[in-house]
Amino acid sequence: MLDSIKQFSSTFFVTGDPLILGAQVSIAISMVAIVLALTIFKKWKWLWTEWLTTVDHKKVGIMYIIASLLMLFRGGVDALLMRTQLALPQLEFLQAEHYNQIFTTHGVIMILFMAMPLMFGLFNIAIPLQIGARDVAFPFLNSLSFWLFFFGAMLFNLSFIIGGSPDAGWLAYPPLSELSGSPSVGQDFYIWGIQISGIGSLATGINFIVTILRMRAPGMTLMKMPMYTWSVFTTCIIIIFAFPILTVTLALLFLDRFLGAHFFTLDGGGNPMMYINLIWMWGHPEVYIVILPAFGIFSEIVSTFAKKKLFGYKSMVFAMFSISIMSFFTWAHHFFTMGSGANVNIFFAITTMIIAIPTGVKVFNWLFTLFRGKITFSTPMMWTAAFIPCFIVGGMTGVLLSVAPADFQFHNSYFLIAHFHQVLIGGVVFGYFAGLYYWWPKMFGFKLHEGLGKWAFWFWNIGFYVCFMPQYALGLMGMTRRFNAYDFDMGWQPLNVISTVGGFLMGIAFIFQVWQIAHSIKFMQKDTTGDPWGGRTLEWSIPSPAPLYNFATIPRADTLDPWLEEKNKRAAGIATPAPEIEPIHMPRNSAIPFIMSVCWFVAGFGFVWSWMWMAIPGLIGVVVCLLVRSFTYNTDYYIPVDEIKRTEAALRGSH
C-alpha cells in the first residue's frame, strides 16, 4: 500500500528539480497567507459577494487585469530562466527537458494567459463607457467568460507542479505532441487549459460584438464610434472566426491521444501538416487579435495628448477591416520551408506584404495627428511614442520574413525570435501598458505615480532593445531557436550575455511597475475631475471610479468626440438640459459562472489523468449549472431614483 502511494506520488507531483521545489514551497506559502488574511480580516463574504459572483463589467475587467499581471510575472520568470541558461556556452543551469518545458509554457502564458486577458480587461473597462452603455449585452456570459479563462489558466499552470509541464513547443506540433513524443500528462494539461479558456474567449468575442452593435448611445452611428471601439469590434470579428479553429484542432489532438485516433499521425494514415495548417489558421489571426486593440488604444491616446482630432478617421476604420480580413490569408508564411511549392509560397508572400500596407497607414495617421499638436508627455503618451519606432522595425523585419527565399535563411533562427518579440512587446505589451495607465484613473479613482512610471518606462525600453537587437545578429550568425546550449567556438557568447542583461533590465522595469502601483495606492493622487487627461470620449464624462450603473442618464453622442463637444459648449456658456433620471435596470450577481467554471476545471483535470470518475461528474456539473440558469427568473432588478440621486450627489460632490 505504502509503495503504491509512493509510486503514485512520484508520477503525480513534479520532483527532483530544486527550482520547481522552490516554486512549490512558495505557492503553498502564498496560498496559506491568502487564506489566513481573508480569515483574519473577515473578508470571505466580501470576496464572494463583491468579486466571485459579480457580473459588473468593470469588476470583471479588473479581475482580468490582475490575472494577466500575475501571468506576466510567471511568463517573465520563464523568460529570465531561459536567458540565464543561454548567457554562457554549455551552461547547466537548466536541464534540456526543463528548458523545453519553460519555452513551451512561456509562449502559451504570454500569448493566451497574459496578452489575451489584459486585452479583455481593457475591453471590459472601456467599451461600455465609451459607447454610453450601462453594461455589456450579456453580463452573465461576461462573468462566465472570465471564470472559464481563469480556471483554464489555473489548470495549465498546475502542470508546473503536478504531472509536469508540456514540452512540445507553444503550438504543440505533432508528432512531438502525440503520445509517442509526449507520453506524460503535460500535453493534456496544455490541451484542456487552452480549451477551457478558449471557450471563454469565444464568448467574449460574441458578447462585445452584440454590445457594440446594439447598445451604443443615441446618435452614435457606426462612423461616430471611438477608434478604440472600432478596434475591439474588428478584433471580435476575428475571434469568432478564428477560435473555433483552435477548439477543433485541439479536440482532434486530444482524440489522437485519448482514444487512439490518427488525425495527425503518419503511421495511422493521418498527416501532421494538417495540424500545422490548422493551428496557424488560428495562430496568425491571433497575432492580429492581440495587436488591433493596441492600435485602437494608441489612436485614443494620440488624439487626447496631442489635443487634436484623429487624422484620417475613415482610413483608419478601413485599415482595421482590411487587417481583420487579410489576417486569414497569411498563415502559410509560417512554414515557407515545408515544401508547399513555389505557387503557394508566392501567394502567401504577397498577402503578407499586402497586410503591411494598412498597418503602415495607421502609423502615418498617428504621426499626422501628432504633427503640430500640443503634445503632453504623460506616461500613456510616452508608451505610445516608444511604440512607433519599435513597431516600424518589427514591421520591416516582418516584410523581410515575408520574402520566401529570405525566410529559408531566417526560418527558426533568432532573427525570427527578435522579430516577433519586437512586434508583440513593442506593439501589444507597450499598447496595453499605455491603455492601463490611460484608463487606470477611471478604474480606481486615482492616477498612477508619474515618476515611478517613467523609471519603469525607461527600464522597459532600454532593456527591450538591449535584449532583442542582439538576437537579430545572432540569427544571422546561425543561432537557431529552442536550443538550450551551444559550444564555445560558435562566437555567440558576447551577444547572448548582452541579450540576457536586457532581459533582466525588463525584469527590473516590472518591479518598478509593482512599486508604482503599491506607492500610488498608499499615496494616491485622487482624480477629482473624472477627466484627468482632458479626454474626448464619453468615459471621461462620468466620475472616477464609475458608479455601478455607469451613466445616471444615457448620454447623446451626435459627434465623433461627444465629451469634448460638451465641454466646449459648457465653456461657451451653452447649457445642455439634463434628462430626467429614471429607475435603472441592472443584472443581479450570480454564482453560476464561478461554479460552472469550477466544474469545467474538475472535468478538465479528470480528462488530463484519464480519470472518468472525475471527468464525468465535472461535465454533469456543467450541465446542471446550465439547467439551473435556464430556470432562474429573478436575474435583474431596478436601482430606484432616490438611490441614483444620492450616489450622484456623493460622487459629483467630490468631483
Side-chain angles (χ1 to χ4, degrees):
M1 181 70 176
L2 188 61
D3 290 339
S4 299
I5 294 172
K6 284 182 179 178
Q7 185 178 356
F8 170 76
S9 298
S10 65
T11 56
F12 189 72
F13 294 104
V14 179
T15 58
D17 190 308
L19 286 172
I20 295 177
L21 178 61
Q24 289 169 333
V25 171
S26 62
I27 289 168
I29 292 171
S30 300
M31 290 179 67
V32 170
I34 291 168
V35 170
L36 282 175
L38 289 169
T39 305
I40 291 168
F41 294 105
K42 298 179 180 178
K43 290 292 184 180
W44 285 106
K45 185 179 179 182
W46 167 82
L47 180 67
W48 178 256
T49 56
E50 294 294 322
W51 296 96
L52 300 187
T53 61
T54 187
V55 295
D56 180 3
H57 69 93
K58 299 177 288 296
K59 288 183 178 177
V60 169
I62 290 167
M63 290 192 292
Y64 266 123
I65 289 167
I66 292 170
S68 72
L69 293 177
L70 290 172
M71 291 296 101
L72 177 60
F73 173 74
R74 163 77 205 275
V77 169
D78 282 349
L80 294 181
L81 291 173
M82 284 189 288
R83 284 301 342 145
T84 302
Q85 170 64 24
L86 292 171
L88 300 172
Q90 297 297 343
L91 198 63
E92 295 185 359
F93 175 64
L94 296 174
Q95 298 303 313
E97 182 183 6
H98 193 186
Y99 184 85
N100 290 347
Q101 292 175 349
I102 283 178
F103 77 66
T104 299
T105 56
H106 170 73
V108 175
I109 286 170
M110 286 305 206
I111 295 291
L112 290 168
F113 300 138
M114 188 282 287
M116 290 290 284
L118 191 48
M119 176 182 85
F120 288 148
L122 294 174
F123 282 16
N124 273 280
I125 295 301
I127 292 301
L129 300 182
Q130 277 204 334
I131 64 173
R134 289 192 169 123
D135 211 322
V136 293
F138 308 116
F140 177 92
L141 186 64
N142 195 35
S143 175
L144 180 61
S145 298
F146 168 74
W147 289 115
L148 285 171
F149 148 73
F150 180 81
F151 282 105
M154 290 303 101
L155 185 63
F156 179 86
N157 277 273
L158 204 58
S159 66
F160 183 54
I161 56 174
I162 295 176
S165 297
D167 60 0
W170 84 275
L171 287 174
Y173 286 3
L176 282 175
S177 56
E178 297 282 359
L179 274 176
S180 58
S182 297
S184 69
V185 296
Q187 199 57 47
D188 298 301
F189 273 113
Y190 171 99
I191 291 169
W192 281 100
I194 294 175
Q195 284 288 50
I196 293 169
S197 67
I199 297 169
S201 299
L202 181 59
T204 300
I206 295 167
N207 203 347
F208 277 89
I209 284 179
V210 177
T211 300
I212 291 167
L213 288 178
R214 302 293 298 167
M215 299 186 70
R216 300 190 308 279
M220 186 182 282
T221 62
L222 287 174
M223 294 308 290
K224 289 175 185 170
M225 292 197 309
M227 192 51 62
Y228 179 62
T229 304
W230 266 116
S231 72
V232 171
F233 183 62
T234 51
T235 297
C236 291
I237 290 172
I238 305 176
I239 287 173
I240 63 171
F241 285 105
F243 265 83
I245 302 172
L246 176 66
T247 302
V248 170
T249 306
L250 292 180
L252 295 176
L253 180 61
F254 181 69
L255 291 175
D256 273 12
R257 294 177 58 86
F258 189 67
L259 295 179
H262 293 285
F263 292 105
F264 308 126
T265 53
L266 281 172
D267 57 353
N271 188 349
M273 276 304 299
M274 181 167 73
Y275 178 94
I276 294 172
N277 273 280
L278 285 170
I279 202 73
W280 279 116
M281 284 179 192
W282 161 80
H284 203 78
E286 168 66 13
V287 174
Y288 294 101
I289 285 170
V290 293
I291 195 68
L292 279 175
F295 290 164
I297 290 167
F298 292 133
S299 300
E300 298 292 330
I301 289 173
V302 160
S303 180
T304 298
F305 288 91
K307 296 178 175 60
K308 279 180 64 183
K309 184 179 178 181
L310 185 67
F311 180 89
Y313 177 90
K314 290 181 181 178
S315 66
M316 292 282 268
V317 173
F318 180 75
M320 294 270 191
F321 265 102
S322 301
I323 290 170
S324 69
I325 294 166
M326 290 295 296
S327 68
F328 286 95
F329 295 94
T330 60
W331 82 86
H333 71 213
H334 289 275
F335 41 95
F336 279 146
T337 60
M338 295 288 190
S340 301
N343 290 336
V344 172
N345 284 357
I346 288 169
F347 174 82
F348 284 97
I350 291 171
T351 56
T352 306
M353 294 175 195
I354 289 172
I355 204 170
I357 296 171
T359 308
V361 165
K362 294 175 173 306
V363 174
F364 283 111
N365 284 6
W366 293 321
L367 292 174
F368 283 129
T369 305
L370 291 170
F371 182 62
R372 291 182 176 172
K374 297 176 181 177
I375 305 171
T376 306
F377 279 100
S378 298
T379 41
M381 187 62 220
M382 290 176 68
W383 285 103
T384 304
F387 152 81
I388 292 174
C390 189
F391 197 76
I392 288 171
V393 174
M396 289 167 61
T397 53
V399 173
L400 276 175
L401 289 162
S402 75
V403 181
D407 187 70
F408 272 68
Q409 304 301 316
F410 302 142
H411 186 75
N412 268 354
S413 75
Y414 259 72
F415 188 94
L416 174 65
I417 297 288
H419 157 70
F420 72 67
H421 280 88
Q422 184 107 34
V423 174
L424 289 172
I425 295 179
V428 176
V429 177
F430 284 13
Y432 293 165
F433 281 169
L436 199 56
Y437 283 105
Y438 184 59
W439 283 304
W440 186 277
K442 192 52 61 182
M443 285 188 274
F444 298 108
F446 63 91
K447 290 170 71 172
L448 287 171
H449 189 271
E450 282 283 308
L452 289 171
K454 287 173 180 175
W455 275 100
F457 169 84
W458 286 112
F459 268 100
W460 261 109
N461 278 269
I462 294 169
F464 172 81
Y465 285 104
V466 172
C467 183
F468 292 106
M469 291 301 111
Q471 292 183 14
Y472 285 113
L474 285 166
L476 296 175
M477 292 165 68
M479 183 171 174
T480 52
R481 63 200 290 199
R482 303 192 181 98
F483 275 84
N484 72 308
Y486 54 92
D487 289 327
F488 289 86
D489 58 356
M490 302 301 288
W492 299 340
Q493 178 183 340
L495 290 175
N496 270 303
V497 170
I498 294 169
S499 184
T500 299
V501 169
F504 277 91
L505 288 175
M506 287 189 282
I508 293 170
F510 182 75
I511 293 171
F512 267 108
Q513 287 177 307
V514 174
W515 180 12
Q516 179 188 18
I517 292 170
H519 182 278
S520 302
I521 291 171
K522 187 173 181 181
F523 305 102
M524 60 176 66
Q525 298 177 306
K526 274 202 170 281
D527 172 21
T528 58
T529 64
D531 183 16
W533 309 117
R536 308 167 73 87
T537 44
L538 289 175
E539 72 267 34
W540 305 110
S541 67
I542 57 175
S544 301
L548 174 65
Y549 47 79
N550 296 346
F551 298 91
T553 57
I554 296 296
R556 283 200 64 84
D558 296 312
T559 61
L560 186 57
D561 294 321
W563 174 233
L564 179 67
E565 188 77 14
E566 177 64 23
K567 287 191 288 187
N568 290 340
K569 283 182 181 178
R570 291 180 184 180
I574 302 171
T576 305
E580 196 67 32
I581 294 177
E582 297 176 353
I584 295 174
H585 178 255
M586 296 297 292
R588 289 190 186 277
N589 285 0
S590 174
I592 297 173
F594 180 82
I595 295 168
M596 190 193 298
S597 301
V598 171
C599 292
W600 269 114
F601 178 90
V602 170
F605 194 81
F607 279 120
V608 165
W609 292 95
S610 300
W611 294 344
M612 291 301 99
W613 58 267
M614 179 181 284
I616 291 172
L619 292 177
I620 291 171
V622 172
V623 173
V624 169
C625 286
L626 290 170
L627 288 171
V628 171
R629 174 63 182 176
S630 298
F631 292 99
T632 302
Y633 299 106
N634 187 21
T635 59
D636 49 14
Y637 69 102
Y638 282 88
I639 302 176
V641 172
D642 288 346
E643 186 178 332
I644 299 166
K645 287 181 176 178
R646 282 197 303 271
T647 304
E648 287 294 301
L651 290 171
R652 302 284 177 181
S654 61
H655 287 73

